[in-house]
Amino acid sequence: MTRLALLIATAGYAGHFPVAPGTMGSVVGLLLFFLVRLSGSGWLEAAAILGLFAAGTWAAGVAEHHYGRRDPGAVVVDEVMGMLVTLAFLPVSWPGALVGFLAFRLTDIVKPWPARAMESLPGGLGVMADDAMAAVYAHLLVRAACWALPAWMVAA
């Protein structure tokens, strides 16, 4: 079970990328977003977010024990889920998705309140919850950009 948890926590070992593993996790999340969006199902989009949050909470907790520290850098399932939350249910074009990627990276790094405080939640829940909150802020930024620049941000 530890191998499965590490596979999930590192997003297929993308978290072991030597430079900016969190950014690599966000790239995996962006690719997953496009795959899920191809289905055209809002239910699948919601299920992917909830499933990743649940599986990521478990896997990140196991990974913390395995690596011997809180929120190890190799754990990037939180970034994958964060990208899905950032772009959830928004009719974005590929430039809009790129704006979402940048907005999520910014909010994930800055971690505005209460995201930073959520890091102190126990185990994998703290790993996942802080990025979920950062993604909510990024989602609001992308939603505002879609409203302000619909011709550029919204898919036709």
Side-chain angles (χ1 to χ4, degrees), residues 49-83:
I49 291 167
L50 294 173
L52 269 174
F53 190 87
T57 298
W58 167 74
V62 172
E64 282 187 330
H65 180 72
H66 175 79
Y67 292 111
R69 63 183 186 275
R70 286 189 52 81
D71 201 357
V75 174
V76 296
V77 67
D78 49 338
E79 276 83 11
V80 175
M81 178 267 320
M83 280 306 308

Side-chain angles (χ1 to χ4, degrees), residues 33 35-48 89:
F33 162 76
L35 285 174
V36 169
R37 189 52 66 90
L38 282 174
S39 75
S41 170
W43 288 104
L44 181 60
E45 203 166 334
F89 314 112

Side-chain angles (χ1 to χ4, degrees), residues 131-143:
D131 281 46
M133 190 69 235
V136 168
Y137 285 119
H139 178 90
L140 294 172
L141 290 171
V142 175
R143 184 171 288 279

